[in-house]
Amino acid sequence: MSYEIRADYEQGHLLPRSVEEWVGQDHPARFVREYVDALDLEGLGFKMRRSKAGRPNYAADLLLKVWVYGYLTRTRSTRRLEAACRETMGLIWLTGDNAPDHNSLWRFWRDNKEALRGIFRTTVKVAQESGLIGLTLHALDGTKIAARVSRRGSWHEEDFKEVLAEFERGVEESEVLEKHRYRLPAQMREPGRLKERIGEALKVIKQAQVKHYHPREPEARMMKMTEGTKFGYNAQAVSDGDSGLIVAQDVTQQASDNAEMVGMIKKVEETLGSAAAETVADGGYNDGEQLAKAEGAKYGVVVGAGSNEKKPVGRYDKRRFRYDAERDVCVCPLGQELLYERTRKARRNLPELRIYRCRNRDCPARGECSSDRRGRGIEVGPYDAAVARQRAKREGAGRELLKKRGEIVERVFGWIKEGMGFRRWSVYGICGVRVQWSLLCATVNLVKLYAAWAVGRLKLAAV
């Protein structure tokens, strides 16, 4: 009969094991303790207790260790962290067999939001000082993450205006409620003051300058995501091509990425001291103003083709016309000069445009080039030159760099969403989601730093 190992519940120990023996020498909990102990928590802005009076509280470093270890192990709920502090050996060891309750953990989060965001920056600095980050190639991208609320209970400007229009036609409130029962939020379906409540809601929507609004999450915006159109936020990240570490991150309310490139590269520069030699991004960042600003700041960027550039280039496409700034003329593919005609004033969110027109009525390609009786007109904006230079770079030396973009930065989003199981924000408001995103990005970096620490490649001095 073979021997089977079973639990001996009567077995005793001559001497109890010391706390230091509860986890192995290369356990992640040891790395978290060493990392947090090396931080200047007061310098980072964490609130430190000064008074000795009153009930003893949990120290800031202990609570921070719980949060960091929780994110490393996909435990991000305060109640689950409270339970883990009693059941998970890594946290039992890390807290010294203390068990902070969920209220203490939540208050620590609430009172130290800006300081918690600073943890990400420390991970980047430690990696840089350890020689783990390169400044050759960085990749920038964004991903939409759903807000904590669903579409139920949301306000839509178009629906409300349609209801008000029916009131103006003299339709009774009961008929309006019956017709729009499933398009109105539940709190507005009750009879009485419907017109007044919708009027008040429209004022709120107008003040927020949006078309879709959720009263429980007023800072979230409707965005197209893989799972459909939902309320959410746009999370941005810059990843290092050498190590895969995240070197900059942020969250924006804007669904489009086209105004984010220069700001994200500036964050890299602020943290690392300089930007990478080249930063690659997809076509969502292809914006003339941003390209011009990047050139002005001496940032090397390679951006994918925008949606308007993916169309086939015809023989007389605008992209085949060349603007000669010295002579202030446009030159067509046949060498004909288009002379300055007038300037179109700047419109909302659009720059001022200079219009150049062909005056050659005897041009053999006049009918093929344009159907305008006045002759072909070309609009030249202040950023067209930067766009043209970027196009040439993308089709030349930047082509190979763009191919590396996906494997550098998109795998980071895949790791966060699949590996960490993070698909929806669990906090409200832009301030809260920025804290959460910074901790998620810090976790990605800490996993890589832990791997280097475990093999002796990383030594943690005071951060």
Side-chain angles (χ1 to χ4, degrees), residues 219-266:
E219 293 179 304
R221 298 291 179 262
M222 287 285 280
M223 299 180 182
K224 289 184 179 179
M225 306 181 189
T226 306
E227 306 83 7
T229 304
K230 299 181 179 181
F231 283 95
Y233 294 92
N234 186 353
Q236 301 280 312
V238 180
S239 186
D240 174 49
D242 292 339
S243 62
L245 289 156
I246 301 175
V247 293
Q249 53 77 31
D250 199 7
V251 178
T252 176
Q253 295 170 285
Q254 303 302 316
S256 173
D257 294 327
N258 59 11
E260 306 301 326
M261 180 174 65
V262 172
M264 292 303 298
I265 299 177
K266 281 184 178 179

Side-chain angles (χ1 to χ4, degrees), residues 80-210:
R80 289 183 179 179
L81 280 174
E82 177 183 1
C85 286
R86 296 189 178 94
E87 300 169 1
T88 304
M89 183 53 70
L91 276 174
I92 294 173
W93 176 86
L94 199 56
T95 61
D97 204 14
N98 290 291
D101 60 281
H102 63 275
N103 284 322
S104 296
L105 291 165
W106 168 243
R107 283 193 295 267
F108 177 77
W109 172 288
R110 179 198 64 194
D111 297 339
N112 296 281
K113 288 182 178 179
E114 286 303 313
L116 285 168
R117 290 182 64 186
I119 297 299
F120 167 78
R121 187 184 176 96
T122 68
T123 65
V124 180
K125 296 298 291 182
V126 168
Q128 183 185 28
E129 292 169 5
S130 302
L132 300 178
I133 293 178
L135 288 171
T136 304
L137 180 64
H138 289 169
L140 164 65
D141 205 356
T143 184
K144 314 297 192 302
I145 300 178
R148 191 172 178 179
V149 295
S150 67
R151 295 184 63 169
R152 181 176 297 176
S154 56
W155 299 351
H156 304 283
E157 183 183 46
E158 185 178 347
D159 292 348
F160 287 173
K161 285 184 176 180
E162 185 177 334
V163 171
L164 284 184
E166 295 198 6
F167 275 115
E168 291 173 1
R169 291 196 299 268
V171 181
E172 294 292 330
E173 182 181 281
S174 58
E175 294 181 36
V176 173
L177 282 171
E178 182 63 29
K179 182 177 179 180
H180 298 278
R181 178 173 301 277
Y182 300 105
R183 297 177 66 182
L184 291 173
Q187 65 269 29
M188 291 188 179
R189 294 178 200 161
E190 298 178 6
R193 294 184 62 249
L194 175 61
K195 182 178 179 180
E196 184 180 344
R197 288 199 297 270
I198 288 181
E200 293 170 353
L202 279 171
K203 289 180 181 178
V204 173
I205 292 174
K206 184 177 181 180
Q207 187 176 5
Q209 298 181 344
V210 295

Side-chain angles (χ1 to χ4, degrees), residues 197-364:
R197 288 199 297 270
I198 288 181
E200 293 170 353
L202 279 171
K203 289 180 181 178
V204 173
I205 292 174
K206 184 177 181 180
Q207 187 176 5
Q209 298 181 344
V210 295
K211 293 185 180 297
H212 309 280
Y213 181 89
H214 204 296
R216 291 188 61 196
E217 179 63 305
E219 293 179 304
R221 298 291 179 262
M222 287 285 280
M223 299 180 182
K224 289 184 179 179
M225 306 181 189
T226 306
E227 306 83 7
T229 304
K230 299 181 179 181
F231 283 95
Y233 294 92
N234 186 353
Q236 301 280 312
V238 180
S239 186
D240 174 49
D242 292 339
S243 62
L245 289 156
I246 301 175
V247 293
Q249 53 77 31
D250 199 7
V251 178
T252 176
Q253 295 170 285
Q254 303 302 316
S256 173
D257 294 327
N258 59 11
E260 306 301 326
M261 180 174 65
V262 172
M264 292 303 298
I265 299 177
K266 281 184 178 179
K267 290 181 181 294
V268 175
E269 190 175 38
E270 290 169 0
T271 303
L272 299 179
S274 64
E278 296 289 353
T279 300
V280 292
D282 63 20
Y285 295 87
N286 194 327
D287 177 79
E289 184 177 4
Q290 288 287 299
L291 292 172
K293 286 183 177 180
E295 285 187 354
K298 307 297 183 184
Y299 295 148
V301 298
V302 183
V303 182
S307 57
N308 61 326
E309 293 186 284
K310 293 179 180 179
K311 300 176 182 177
V313 181
R315 185 178 180 184
Y316 298 104
D317 188 278
K318 178 187 174 181
R319 285 168 280 180
R320 295 192 182 277
F321 285 70
R322 177 176 55 85
Y323 175 64
D324 188 332
E326 291 185 5
R327 294 186 295 149
D328 192 25
V329 296
C330 272
V331 182
C332 80
L334 298 180
Q336 300 289 334
E337 293 183 354
L338 284 71
L339 304 179
Y340 170 77
E341 181 183 71
R342 61 188 176 89
T343 298
R344 178 184 294 174
K345 294 182 179 180
R347 299 175 182 177
R348 183 180 180 183
N349 298 326
L350 293 173
E352 183 180 82
L353 297 174
R354 293 173 63 84
I355 300 176
Y356 296 78
R357 193 170 300 281
C358 177
R359 308 286 174 81
N360 185 3
R361 295 185 176 276
D362 298 325
C363 177

